[in-house]
DNA sequence: GATTATTTTGACAACGATGTCCAGTCGTAG
DNA sequence: CTACGACTGGACATCGTTGTCAAAATAATC
């Protein structure tokens, strides 16, 4: 900036004014400065600016997702980028891997970079460790999973209701021998989905104690094995609910191996590409990651802009998409 | 930091030394400082530090991908994060959307944040616009697509060779009426794949002028329509090569609609989830995004560490994965 | 105990920008 | 011709940190 000022023959502050479109600069000097800055290929250093700027805005935020390589997270990431990019805010994206240690390390890295806000998918038992920052007015929005040990905005899917919807759907097709395949129990959404599913069975008069529940299935292979086991037991279930993408894939593989794809009903939580191209098409409880991402970004921006209303949890409804696998009837 | 120094009753520079693990601090003062910084919940401001620090490192890099929501990009993003995170480097990820304007805007945003390096998937005709920065020693690695108008490292898939492999595979199964479905021609990889495919046909003695080539298919629907058109023409192809994921999906839909899934061969460029669960399984030329991402990250780190060797393009080989659709034989 | 070598420490300027505030310049009205 | 406000421009301190360098404290040596 000094160099530009020198080349243009003006003061350094005048350059700052031109670059930041502040008023009070004549057309003549304005173009002199712009010329000079073009010639030197000058670019404003935002970091240096934010050091002095009111509110210390860095125009960057930290986004912590289950994993940037997971399609659900990818959609959220994208929605974020779109909503925040319009305001000139850049996004640091990082992957949680459902590791509490990692969560803390990543949050620390974000804080060290003085982000203007944090959007977090947590896995720690309590997120009280961000209270100091949050009470110093650091905007904070939780996404996909609700916060524990701290009051802050959150945007989540109606996990329990969605799972209950699946249960009701299967029961209404005449199923009474249902099974549940779930993810790690330290993941809040997994617990919620199980709760919603089981409670709905209870409401519909199905004895819940006999319902096979297999949990802590975190990948395709363990889900496949669990499903195989269930399906080859005596009195196998006539319908399966799987609480997550990879678990659904594992269940699909098990069903195919046993030639049961068209005989045992399946509903999965989470939509996925080509679900309609399977045989039969896979019925799912679809989440809306783009809406979740957009809403979370909007809440964050509102907080950044000084919104002081008390924290609130926003629920984005899920949607049952019928494609065939969830509409299979139990054997007569 | 001032406050920490005050509370610990030491000079500000001593605090800096402790925080940065510099030598020459006695155990006694060290723990005094650590105590104070704990009490105040102090966190180093990297931005301020990088202002003065030798080399002005910000410990952040900019990553420009086709779209963070696309699984291929997601894998690359993840590999990047893993390789760079180990060095404490955070990643700004952004989506290109194959829009040249957007590319320039995003690169400018990265530069304004003084990233330590840039990893770019370009769509502009020429990337000469980054020459000033690059010659001022800004590390730069192109990914997936090779640079034009500037000399820099690149990490790409062997697009032409991979497509040729597909052609050879189909021809060896007896096909002679092949068709090509391709993406937008302003995308370098799309052009390379077409070239590789067509040239291989030539080498194998198939008259290339009669091969139907449909290009500029950027989404599933346009690909589906193009495929439908090809397949319902007189003398339809007995084998199709699709140059990209979404195009492959479109072709799959068209084949299914016409009941030809098991009669017309299909090979797609790009692997995808559940490809083996389709009926028939979809034969693909798989890329290795994790390897591409890892290698690009390694090259970037090497450059950051001062590697001065002349720019080089690294090619990550693709892999033909046989799953059934590419092994269908032509009707007798 | 004096002197030197070594370690530990802090004062200060600087990084690149912006906020504050004051000094010119100019046009216009009295 | 003076006075006054509006506009324009620049000097300077400052943000939080680190590099430089010299001072102070401590240890080692004779």
């Amino acid at each position: 900036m000094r160099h530009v000022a020198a080349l243009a023959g003006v003061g350094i502050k005048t350059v700052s004014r031109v670059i930041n479109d502040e008023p009070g600069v004549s057309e003549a000097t304005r173009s002199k400065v712009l010329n000079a800055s073009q010639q030197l290929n000058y670019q404003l250093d935002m970091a240096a600016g934010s050091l002095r700027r009111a509110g210390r805005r860095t125009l960057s935020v930290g986004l912590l997702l289950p994993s940037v390589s997971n399609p659900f997270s990818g959609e959220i990431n994208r929605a974020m980028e779109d909503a925040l990019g319009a305001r000139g805010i850049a996004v640091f994206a990082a992957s949680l891997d459902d590791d509490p240690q990692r969560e803390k390390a990543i949050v620390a890295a974000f804080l060290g970079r003085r982000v203007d806000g944090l959007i977090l998918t947590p896995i720690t038992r309590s997120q009280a460790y961000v209270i100091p920052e949050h009470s110093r007015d650091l905007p904070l929005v939780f996404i996909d999973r609700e916060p524990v040990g701290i009051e802050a905005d959150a945007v989540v899917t109606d996990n329990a209701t969605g799972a209950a919807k699946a249960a009701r759907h299967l029961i209404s097709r005449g199923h009474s021998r249902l099974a549940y395949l779930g993810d790690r129990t330290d993941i809040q959404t997994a617990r919620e989905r199980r709760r919603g599913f089981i409670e709905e069975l209870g409401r519909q008069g199905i004895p819940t104690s006999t319902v096979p529940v297999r949990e802590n299935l975190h990948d395709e292979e363990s889900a496949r094995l669990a499903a195989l086991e269930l399906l080859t037991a005596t009195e196998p279930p006539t319908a399966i609910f799987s609480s997550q993408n990879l678990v659904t894939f594992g269940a699909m593989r098990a069903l195919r191996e046993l030639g049961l794809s068209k005989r045992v009903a399946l509903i999965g939580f989470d939509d996925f590409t080509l679900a309609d191209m399977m045989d039969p098409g896979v019925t799912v409880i679809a989440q809306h990651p783009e809406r979740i991402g957009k809403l979370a970004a909007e809440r964050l921006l509102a907080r950044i802009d000084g919104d002081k209303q008390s924290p609130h949890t926003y629920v984005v409804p899920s949607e049952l998409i019928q494609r065939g696998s969830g509409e299979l009837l139990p054997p007569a």
Side-chain angles (χ1 to χ4, degrees), chain A:
Chain A
M1 184 141 150
R2 281 217 309 257
H3 302 97
V4 177
L7 180 58
V10 302
I12 185 174
K13 179 67 216 232
T14 302
V15 177
S16 170
R17 273 193 271 260
V18 173
I19 303 286
N20 294 308
D21 259 320
E22 284 173 43
V25 183
S26 69
E27 245 341 289
T29 43
R30 164 182 219 73
S31 62
K32 258 196 304 184
V33 170
L34 287 175
N35 257 339
S37 94
Q38 288 261 313
Q39 255 181 70
L40 296 178
N41 200 265
Y42 171 75
Q43 242 180 334
L44 186 72
D45 184 329
M46 309 192 64
S50 70
L51 205 54
R52 196 74 175 71
R53 200 186 349 262
R56 272 205 215 327
R57 295 285 164 73
T58 55
L59 292 182
S60 62
V61 302
L63 172 62
L64 179 57
L65 296 166
S67 170
V68 294
S69 69
N70 139 350
F72 177 76
S73 299
E75 290 292 338
I76 292 179
N77 197 346
R78 185 56 211 257
M80 261 340 166
E81 180 189 350
D82 290 342
L84 299 173
R87 287 266 299 256
I89 298 178
V91 178
F92 281 115
S95 305
L96 176 63
D97 276 348
D98 285 323
D99 173 353
Q101 294 254 248
R102 203 173 150 113
E103 174 183 331
K104 291 197 180 183
I106 291 172
V107 169
F110 286 158
L111 293 175
R113 285 175 179 81
R114 294 294 185 272
V115 293
D116 293 342
L118 238 32
I119 297 143
L120 304 179
T121 309
I123 184 69
T124 48
R125 273 172 200 289
S126 156
Q127 293 80 49
Y129 66 94
V130 264
I131 290 180
E133 275 63 35
H134 190 224
S135 47
R136 273 182 226 154
D137 256 357
L138 179 76
L140 183 55
V141 176
F142 285 87
I143 198 167
D144 191 41
R145 305 172 188 168
E146 292 185 70
V148 176
I150 182 174
E151 301 225 334
D153 288 326
V155 179
V156 300
T157 293
D158 61 342
N159 291 295
T161 311
K165 229 183 295 183
R168 211 155 48 237
H169 189 73
L170 292 169
I171 293 167
S172 76
R173 290 296 180 285
H175 293 277
S176 57
R177 297 218 307 274
L178 303 139
Y180 175 90
L181 295 179
D183 200 342
R184 275 169 46 181
T185 52
D186 58 344
I187 298 176
Q188 195 221 1
T189 53
R191 292 195 304 269
E192 282 294 293
R193 289 170 197 173
R194 185 190 62 183
R195 185 175 66 78
F197 185 78
I198 300 294
E199 285 182 5
E200 182 65 22
L201 294 195
R203 273 193 294 275
Q204 303 286 331
I206 295 194
T208 56
S209 58
T210 62
V211 174
V213 168
R214 291 282 185 290
E215 294 189 275
N216 293 307
L217 309 172
H218 204 51
D219 56 36
E220 218 170 300
E221 184 56 12
S222 57
R224 185 181 70 89
L225 294 175
L228 279 178
E229 203 184 306
L230 282 182
L231 291 165
T232 53
T234 52
E235 294 248 323
T238 61
I240 294 179
F241 174 67
S242 56
S243 88
Q244 183 248 85
N245 245 321
L246 297 179
V247 177
T248 305
F249 296 165
M252 284 162 52
R253 288 186 191 283
L255 288 170
R256 165 163 312 187
E257 280 176 46
L258 300 174
L260 295 174
S261 298
K262 294 186 181 166
R263 326 189 113 235
V264 174
L266 173 67
I267 299 186
F269 209 105
D270 261 0
D271 198 6
F272 56 92
T273 313
L274 298 180
D276 62 319
M277 291 286 280
M278 306 308 300
D279 186 29
V282 179
T283 296
V284 299
I285 305 293
Q287 302 192 67
H288 292 287
E290 46 341 304
R291 274 200 248 163
I292 295 178
K294 182 157 183 270
L295 184 50
E298 284 166 2
R299 286 315 304 153
L300 192 78
L301 284 174
R303 292 295 180 188
I304 288 178
D305 291 339
D307 182 341
K308 293 290 181 212
Q309 65 180 246
S310 53
H312 186 263
T313 293
Y314 300 82
V315 176
V316 176
S318 60
E319 186 186 350
L320 174 73
I321 302 181
Q322 305 188 18
R323 294 203 180 100
S325 76
E327 291 70 44
L328 295 173
L329 302 178

